[in-house]
Amino acid sequence: MMTLEDVTSLIVDVKDFPKPGITFKDITPILENSEAFRALATIFAQNTPKQVNKLVAIESRGFILASAMAQHMNVGVILMRKPGKLPRKTLSQTYQLEYGEDQLEIHDHSIENDDSIAIIDDVLATGGTAEAAEKLITRAGGRVVQFQFLIELGFLKGRDKLSSPVLSHIVL
Ligand code: AMP
């Protein structure tokens, strides 16, 4: 199996995307390499606490990572989406962006009381998205036992906004 270092060496930094001053971490080269993608899914699955019974995947790269890791685990995947995408009754959580605000939604029926949840995404940046995800799952009656990210932009201190344990495979 490829090592975490082999896998992460495929990540490409794209300067000034989507706007000046942001360096975008492009993980698509990992997804395009079957060996790397399988290794990454295995590493994520192996590092998830045993009591986790559902993964919550944040749109949209979180969907890809959580779906792949779920194939190595005995868990389902809950999609946490941008507003207006989920067809049935939803619970939603508003959060602040640099300019304006955004929302995340889950299907109302997806979380059962005392579900043990790991929240999955590719990048932890300012933590606004993850904080909203944690609030939403908690309001729905779930217990967030882990956040798992491939990359954490440590200098943005996103983890300080989160109450649940954070595992990031690379901290920059
Ligand atoms: P934040 O709410 O600031 O922590 O941003 C997290 C969300 O934005 C995640 O869903 C990431 O996929 C995406 N994101 C933020 N910064 C970056 C970055 N530098 N490269 C790639 N994705 C990013």
Side-chain angles (χ1 to χ4, degrees):
M1 193 175 95
M2 279 173 82
T3 64
L4 180 66
E5 276 178 4
D6 296 334
V7 173
T8 56
S9 70
L10 298 173
I11 298 167
V12 174
D13 283 1
V14 184
K15 284 208 170 24
D16 298 318
F17 183 89
K19 49 187 179 181
I22 305 284
T23 298
F24 190 87
K25 298 290 177 184
D26 181 19
I27 67 159
T28 59
I30 300 174
L31 309 180
E32 291 171 8
N33 179 318
S34 67
E35 214 188 322
F37 191 12
R38 190 176 312 114
L40 184 62
T42 306
I43 292 165
F44 264 69
Q46 286 172 344
N47 282 283
T48 307
K50 289 285 170 278
Q51 79 262 36
V52 166
N53 67 317
K54 287 175 184 165
L55 302 176
V56 165
I58 300 181
E59 185 163 359
S60 57
R61 287 177 297 276
F63 293 178
I64 301 167
L65 296 177
S67 300
M69 62 192 285
Q71 304 314 304
H72 298 262
M73 303 167 68
N74 191 23
V75 297
V77 176
I78 296 171
L79 304 184
M80 184 171 279
R81 300 210 64 177
K82 301 284 166 59
K85 304 279 193 184
L86 290 168
R88 295 163 65 185
K89 188 165 182 252
T90 57
L91 273 177
S92 72
Q93 180 73 43
T94 301
Y95 60 101
Q96 298 304 312
L97 297 174
E98 197 178 347
Y99 301 103
E101 54 182 36
D102 208 345
Q103 270 178 26
L104 287 172
E105 296 185 341
I106 51 169
H107 268 145
D108 195 26
H109 58 264
S110 299
I111 306 279
E112 288 158 306
N113 265 348
D114 290 333
D115 273 341
S116 290
I117 304 285
I119 298 178
I120 309 299
D121 205 357
D122 63 337
V123 176
L124 174 63
T126 66
T129 308
E131 181 186 27
E134 184 174 47
K135 281 190 186 151
L136 187 47
I137 297 307
T138 306
R139 276 174 48 213
R143 242 173 338 120
V144 180
V145 301
Q146 185 192 54
F147 285 98
Q148 200 173 159
F149 303 99
L150 179 55
I151 305 157
E152 174 177 346
L153 305 180
F155 53 92
L156 293 175
K157 308 252 184 271
R159 74 163 63 213
D160 295 352
K161 296 198 174 88
L162 309 177
S163 313
S164 309
V166 177
L167 171 61
S168 305
H169 292 286
I170 335 170
V171 182
L172 301 174

